Amino acid sequence: MELTCLHNKFNFPSLPHLSRPFFKNPNPRVFPRKINILFLASASDTVVASSIKELGSKKDDEFGDLKSWMHRNGLPRCKVVLNESTSHDEKHMPVQYVVASDDLPAGDVAFSVPNSLVVTLERVLGNETVAELLTTNKLSELACLALYLMYEKKQGKKSFWYPYIRELDRQRGRGQLAVESPLLWSEEELAYLTGSPTKAEVLERAEGIKREYDELDTVWFMAGSLFQQYPYDIPTEAFPFEIFKQAFVAVQSCVVHLQKVPLAQRFALVPLGPPLLAYRSNCKAMLSAVNGAVELVVDRACKAGEPIVVWCGPQPNSKLLINYGFVDDDNSYDRLVVEAALNTEDPQYQDKRLVVQRNGKLSVQVFHVYAGKEKEAVFDMLPYLRLGYVSDPSEMQSVLSSQGPVCPVSPCMDRAVRDQLADYFNRRLAGYLTTLNEDESLLSDPNLNPRRRVATELVRLEKKILHACLQATTELIDELPDHTVSPCPAPYAPLLK
């Protein structure tokens, strides 16, 4: 199961109680009936903006819990139940999660959710051509799914999906640590990520969500019967941006990326799926489309009462935090990026560009530094950096005529290359607000704010990667002869960022 944002289908039988899908409006100029904006402001405008009072005091006995509703609507007997863990914020409902109801051997089917209880873009828009057109233009699947659930929520208990939406309200887009995505953090809380490239990723993702919000009315023109079904204003009038962002983040936290299905069924919302499932980077269990249902086969033995774990895809911890609000200390896919670029002012830039292309690299090359493989990454960078230090035209011709990424640099020049790399790692480490030791001290505090905790866990893991890179580079410097000194910086040294 790969879950994406960023990042990165089924033929559903019609249900008499299910809101009909939206087909293209034959007359998109006919505006739907508008309602008073003051009324909208008092309505439940988002999938996640509910309170304990709303969710807890009404009890909703006629619906029961999520699993009971699913059984009444076609969910066959399964081997899971829902447990609760308390929220760090007393204003919010506890987080629910799926646990095994029986002892499960590896390879056993934990549950199988029929397509009639799965939401995909094909179901939302009712027309695969329209669905694909929307998502290949300016709107993502997540934006369309978020908009659909927002309008469904406005219908309250009349919506077939009311029990599922109620559960999304309870979860509030929170991950396993009961922490929301940093997309919903305050500016002060985002400062916890200072020095981490994740902070820029969060801001960039937020800007992307705003761009999608600005395009929401496209849905009105292309699938206008949505507004015949829902007597509300067009999207940007019915929903303020902050409301849409909350709904987008909630959908992002629970969407499943199904494999080997048509495009319009690729992204699915599956009750009993995320965020009710526990994520593991070292797990192989995936939600899969099988014979008219989405099923989960466990990849390991699971005792009754233990959380059901699934694979969250090959995502680094930065993506896990942004998408799901947690980081995984045992994530073999965790990585940092080092971007190196040949200096375009170099008179020999074009020749060097040919050399790096011949060796499978680019003039602006991204190096992925994986946790536990930092030394290998440093060795991979060195030939690229050495090439930038070649200045003599005859030496450049020798490089052009040779095979492989070999550059004839002197020990002193090689010292300059390694010094540049060590300085780069030191600068990145200096950009954080805390040291590794200070991070460890913060994490030892049981009363640490959960958002601060998960941010600290992320930057701690990033610093471990950077320290390992710095150590590997320092060891390489120590291998050089004792008398080796770094000359003045090369005028056209590669750029690192």
Side-chain angles (χ1 to χ4, degrees):
M1 174 181 61
E2 182 180 349
L3 310 175
T4 70
C5 131
L6 301 82
H7 86 348
N8 260 89
K9 298 177 187 166
F10 312 106
N11 294 316
F12 297 94
S14 59
L15 297 172
H17 46 283
L18 176 63
S19 302
R20 57 190 175 87
F22 352 136
F23 298 95
K24 187 171 181 179
N25 189 346
N27 186 6
R29 288 184 172 275
V30 177
F31 282 77
R33 177 173 63 85
K34 293 192 176 184
I35 59 178
N36 193 295
I37 292 297
L38 292 177
F39 168 76
L40 285 174
S42 65
S44 299
D45 288 332
T46 179
V47 177
V48 296
S50 296
S51 65
I52 285 183
K53 182 177 180 181
E54 178 185 350
L55 291 174
S57 63
K58 293 183 180 179
K59 295 186 183 298
D60 297 314
D61 292 334
E62 69 270 32
F63 293 99
D65 63 17
L66 176 68
K67 190 164 173 284
S68 299
W69 167 75
M70 293 177 69
H71 280 304
R72 289 197 304 272
N73 288 281
L75 177 70
R77 183 188 179 280
C78 55
K79 301 176 182 179
V80 300
V81 293
L82 295 178
N83 275 5
E84 290 186 352
S85 63
T86 57
S87 172
H88 63 84
D89 189 335
E90 62 181 12
K91 296 178 182 178
H92 298 160
M93 294 288 285
V95 173
Q96 290 196 329
Y97 59 100
V98 172
V99 301
S101 59
D102 310 309
D103 290 347
L104 302 179
D108 201 0
V109 177
F111 60 76
S112 180
V113 179
N115 290 349
S116 57
L117 292 173
V118 176
V119 183
T120 64
L121 205 61
E122 185 179 59
R123 156 155 289 187
V124 168
L125 298 174
N127 182 306
E128 185 168 341
T129 301
V130 173
E132 294 187 9
L133 183 59
L134 283 173
T135 55
T136 54
N137 188 10
K138 295 181 179 180
L139 283 175
S140 69
E141 290 93 336
L142 299 189
C144 294
L145 291 172
L147 181 62
Y148 174 68
L149 290 183
M150 286 192 296
Y151 274 113
E152 280 292 317
K153 178 166 183 177
K154 280 185 175 290
Q155 297 196 109
K157 295 182 181 180
K158 294 179 181 178
S159 170
F160 171 73
W161 299 107
Y162 173 77
Y164 180 44
I165 293 172
R166 185 183 59 181
E167 185 59 37
L168 294 181
D169 282 338
R170 172 197 288 269
Q171 298 297 125
R172 299 182 61 84
R174 293 173 288 176
Q176 296 171 39
L177 299 177
V179 174
E180 296 88 346
S181 163
L183 287 165
L184 301 178
W185 293 8
S186 67
E187 186 175 340
E188 179 182 347
E189 290 168 331
L190 281 178
Y192 301 151
L193 298 172
T194 297
S196 169
T198 307
K199 183 177 180 180
E201 291 179 41
V202 171
L203 298 175
E204 183 180 357
R205 180 82 65 88
E207 290 175 359
I209 295 173
K210 181 60 168 66
R211 287 193 297 270
E212 293 212 62
Y213 173 77
D214 293 337
E215 295 294 334
L216 279 183
D217 293 348
T218 302
V219 178
W220 182 84
F221 290 104
M222 301 189 68
S225 61
L226 163 63
F227 297 94
Q228 295 173 2
Q229 179 179 336
Y230 305 107
Y232 307 110
D233 284 331
I234 59 177
T236 54
E237 293 183 18
F239 305 106
F241 170 64
E242 286 302 318
I243 295 297
F244 172 73
K245 183 168 76 168
Q246 292 176 39
F248 187 99
V249 171
V251 168
Q252 172 185 270
S253 72
C254 59
V255 74
V256 176
H257 190 181
L258 296 174
Q259 307 292 324
K260 300 178 182 179
V261 294
L263 179 63
Q265 298 171 4
R266 172 175 62 170
F267 289 92
L269 301 176
V270 185
L272 293 185
L276 300 177
L277 297 171
Y279 301 111
R280 291 290 183 276
S281 298
N282 59 3
C283 176
K284 298 302 179 184
M286 300 171 60
L287 285 169
S288 305
V290 179
N291 298 326
V294 177
E295 73 174 26
L296 175 63
V297 177
V298 296
D299 71 328
R300 61 194 68 188
C302 188
K303 297 290 185 182
E306 290 183 349
I308 301 292
V309 297
V310 294
W311 187 47
C312 53
Q315 301 185 67
N317 280 323
S318 59
K319 293 293 189 294
L320 295 182
L321 178 60
I322 295 173
N323 292 338
Y324 319 119
F326 82 103
V327 298
D328 187 350
D329 195 57
D330 187 27
N331 184 0
S332 61
Y333 302 99
D334 197 23
R335 63 180 182 268
L336 288 179
V337 167
V338 174
E339 183 180 290
L342 297 177
N343 195 320
T344 56
E345 301 297 322
D346 190 339
Q348 301 184 93
Y349 170 76
Q350 292 299 337
D351 286 342
K352 293 179 179 180
R353 182 167 169 265
L354 288 174
V355 172
V356 297
Q357 289 179 343
R358 187 176 66 190
N359 289 281
K361 299 289 192 294
L362 302 171
S363 56
V364 179
Q365 178 63 38
V366 171
F367 293 92
H368 292 290
V369 184
Y370 285 88
K373 298 182 179 179
E374 294 87 356
K375 192 169 186 177
E376 293 90 331
V378 169
F379 274 109
D380 192 29
M381 296 176 207
L382 287 176
Y384 189 97
L385 298 178
R386 290 186 184 116
L387 179 64
Y389 279 77
V390 174
S391 56
D392 187 281
S394 62
E395 290 181 349
M396 193 66 237
Q397 288 304 311
S398 175
V399 173
L400 283 169
S401 61
S402 67
Q403 297 296 322
V406 178
C407 296
V409 294
S410 67
C412 289
M413 194 63 75
D414 208 12
R415 173 66 183 261
V417 171
R418 301 178 192 195
D419 281 348
Q420 182 190 7
L421 200 53
D423 289 343
Y424 166 78
F425 292 129
N426 275 316
R427 286 198 312 273
R428 285 193 62 166
L429 284 166
Y432 292 95
L433 297 179
T434 56
T435 65
L436 261 178
N437 287 338
E438 290 170 334
D439 291 340
E440 298 291 353
S441 178
L442 281 170
L443 293 173
S444 66
D445 179 3
N447 298 316
L448 185 65
N449 176 282
R451 293 184 180 183
R452 181 68 183 271
R453 179 176 296 279
V454 73
T456 302
E457 288 177 346
L458 176 75
V459 298
R460 177 179 66 92
L461 292 171
E462 290 178 349
K463 291 170 200 172
K464 283 187 173 182
I465 293 176
L466 291 172
H467 273 290
C469 288
L470 180 59
Q471 180 180 349
T473 306
T474 302
E475 290 173 356
L476 288 172
I477 292 174
D478 292 341
E479 291 176 1
L480 293 169
D482 292 340
H483 63 278
T484 303
V485 293
S486 177
C488 295
Y492 303 114
L495 308 175
L496 291 172
K497 68 176 185 178

